[in-house]
C-alpha cells in the first residue's frame, strides 16, 4: 500500500443534478484533480512528468461501487491512495465518505503513461513512482472484460466540441460517462441511481469528430459503448437501482 492524501469537500451547486445528487461524471473528474494534488505534493506534478519524461498520465479503466450518492451541500471526505503498480499500470483507489465515515463511493482507477506524440503507452519508470511508496507487483491486474452490444440498441449522436477536449488533446474521461448516461431517457435517470459502474477506455476520440452513444438495457443493467468512425472508443456496464418513493 502506498501513501494517501485526503481533503474535505462540500458538494457545490454546479456538481448537483435535478435530484440534488452529485453529478457523478463531474465528481470523478474532481477526484482525478485530487490525485493531481497528491502527485504535486510528492514532487511528481504533471509538469514534472512532462519535463523529465515527456509523458502524460491517462486513465484506462474505472471500477466504481456506489452505496449512496452525496447530496448538494453535503460535506464529504475524498481520500486517494496510490496502491500498487507494475510495468504498465498504476492502480489508484479513491474513497468518498460522509462525516460519519460511512463509505459512499469507492473508485478503483487504472492509470498508464502515454507518449503524447506517438500516442503509445510507455513503461513506468521506478524512480517516477518511488515517492508514492506503492508496492511493485509483477502480475498485471486486468479490468473486467466487456462484450459487444447485442439486442435492441438505443442510440444518440454527438459532435465533439472544443470544450470536450482536455489538455492531453483527447476527450475528457468524464465526457464518455456523460454521453453514456444521456442515451438513457430523462425519466429513467430521475428515478434510478447507479450502483456499480465498470468503464473501459479503448481508443481516443478525435477532436471535432462525431460519436454515437449506444446502449442495451435489460434487468436494471445497461450495457454501453461509444463509437466513432466504425470503431469502439469506450465501453461500460452499469447496474441501476430504482429510487424508493421515500427517497425522492
Amino acid at each position: 500500500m502506498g501513501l494517501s492524501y485526503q481533503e474535505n469537500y462540500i458538494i457545490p451547486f454546479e456538481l448537483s443534478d435535478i435530484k440534488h445528487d452529485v453529478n457523478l461524471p463531474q465528481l470523478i473528474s474532481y477526484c482525478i484533480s485530487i490525485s493531481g494534488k497528491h502527485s504535486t505534493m510528492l514532487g511528481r506534478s504533471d509538469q514534472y512528468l512532462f519535463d523529465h519524461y515527456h509523458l502524460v498520465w491517462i486513465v484506462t479503466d474505472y471500477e466504481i461501487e456506489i452505496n449512496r450518492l452525496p447530496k448538494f451541500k453535503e460535506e464529504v471526505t475524498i481520500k486517494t491512495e496510490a496502491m500498487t503498480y507494475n510495468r504498465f499500470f498504476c492502480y489508484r483507489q479513491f474513497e468518498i465518505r460522509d462525516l460519519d465515515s460511512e463509505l459512499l463511493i469507492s473508485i478503483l482507477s487504472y492509470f498508464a503513461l502515454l507518449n503524447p506524440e506517438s500516442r503509445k503507452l510507455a513503461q513506468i519508470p521506478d524512480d517516477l513512482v518511488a515517492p508514492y511508496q506503492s508496492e511493485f507487483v509483477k502480475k498485471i491486474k486486468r479490468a473486467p472484460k466487456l462484450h459487444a452490444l447485442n439486442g435492441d440498441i438505443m442510440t444518440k449522436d454527438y459532435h465533439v466540441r472544443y470544450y470536450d477536449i482536455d489538455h492531453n488533446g483527447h476527450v475528457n474521461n468524464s465526457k464518455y460517462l456523460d454521453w453514456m448516461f444521456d442515451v438513457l431517457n430523462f425519466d429513467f435517470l430521475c428515478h434510478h441511481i447507479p450502483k456499480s459502474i465498470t468503464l473501459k477506455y479503448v481508443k481516443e476520440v478525435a477532436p471535432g469528430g462525431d460519436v454515437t452513444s449506444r446502449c442495451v438495457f435489460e434487468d436494471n443493467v445497461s450495457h454501453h459503448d461509444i463509437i466513432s468512425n466504425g470503431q469502439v472508443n469506450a465501453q461500460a456496464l452499469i447496474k441501476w437501482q430504482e429510487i424508493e418513493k421515500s427517497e425522492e
Side-chain angles (χ1 to χ4, degrees):
M1 307 294 276
L3 295 179
S4 65
Y5 170 85
Q6 71 177 48
E7 64 176 50
N8 283 13
Y9 183 65
I10 298 175
I11 305 301
F13 175 83
E14 61 270 21
L15 251 69
S16 307
D17 68 11
I18 195 172
K19 303 191 298 292
H20 291 195
D21 288 335
V22 73
N23 179 317
L24 189 57
Q26 291 189 35
L27 179 63
I28 294 171
S29 284
Y30 187 77
C31 287
I32 295 299
S33 73
I34 287 179
S35 71
K37 291 180 183 180
H38 187 200
S39 294
T40 299
M41 183 183 71
L42 296 175
R44 292 295 187 267
S45 66
D46 288 344
Q47 191 63 53
Y48 176 94
L49 173 63
F50 188 80
D51 289 345
H52 289 76
Y53 301 92
H54 202 66
L55 299 170
V56 296
W57 287 113
I58 62 168
V59 178
T60 63
D61 298 86
Y62 286 114
E63 295 178 46
I64 305 170
E65 297 292 334
I66 302 158
N67 296 321
R68 177 173 72 80
L69 291 174
K71 294 287 188 179
F72 171 49
K73 292 185 177 181
E74 182 175 4
E75 184 173 359
V76 298
T77 298
I78 304 176
K79 178 181 177 181
T80 184
E81 181 179 347
M83 301 176 65
T84 59
Y85 75 101
N86 51 52
R87 291 172 59 206
F88 290 101
F89 295 98
C90 291
Y91 305 97
R92 180 180 279 275
Q93 183 77 32
F94 297 90
E95 290 184 349
I96 301 169
R97 296 179 181 269
D98 64 18
L99 294 186
D100 293 324
S101 297
E102 291 294 325
L103 181 62
L104 305 182
I105 302 173
S106 66
I107 304 170
L108 176 61
S109 55
Y110 295 57
F111 280 80
L113 288 174
L114 179 76
N115 183 310
E117 294 179 356
S118 68
R119 313 309 288 182
K120 293 182 178 180
L121 296 185
Q123 291 192 34
I124 297 171
D126 290 333
D127 58 339
L128 172 65
V129 297
Y132 299 93
Q133 298 181 24
S134 301
E135 178 187 1
F136 177 81
V137 290
K138 291 183 178 180
K139 185 176 180 180
I140 296 179
K141 175 180 171 59
R142 302 289 185 183
K145 187 175 181 179
L146 300 178
H147 301 285
L149 300 190
N150 288 297
D152 186 11
I153 300 177
M154 300 180 286
T155 66
K156 198 167 185 179
D157 297 327
Y158 301 89
H159 180 71
V160 180
R161 304 168 301 174
Y162 175 82
Y163 286 112
D164 295 333
I165 306 299
D166 63 22
H167 69 269
N168 287 336
H170 59 219
V171 171
N172 186 275
N173 283 348
S174 66
K175 195 63 192 177
Y176 293 85
L177 192 56
D178 198 357
W179 287 329
M180 290 170 175
F181 278 15
D182 194 51
V183 76
L184 299 164
N185 66 59
F186 183 85
D187 184 67
F188 176 87
L189 293 173
C190 283
H191 294 90
H192 293 79
I193 57 171
K195 298 302 293 179
S196 69
I197 301 172
T198 301
L199 177 57
K200 177 180 292 293
Y201 300 102
V202 180
K203 184 177 176 58
E204 295 175 298
V205 172
D210 295 293
V211 303
T212 299
S213 178
R214 309 193 311 162
C215 173
V216 172
F217 186 88
E218 55 185 358
D219 299 326
N220 277 338
V221 177
S222 56
H223 304 260
H224 300 260
D225 65 22
I226 302 295
I227 62 171
S228 62
N229 298 319
Q231 294 184 311
V232 174
N233 300 97
Q235 298 173 291
L237 185 151
I238 306 176
K239 296 180 180 179
W240 297 88
Q241 176 177 305
E242 187 172 5
I243 299 172
E244 299 287 341
K245 293 291 185 180
S246 60
E247 294 182 42
E248 294 182 323

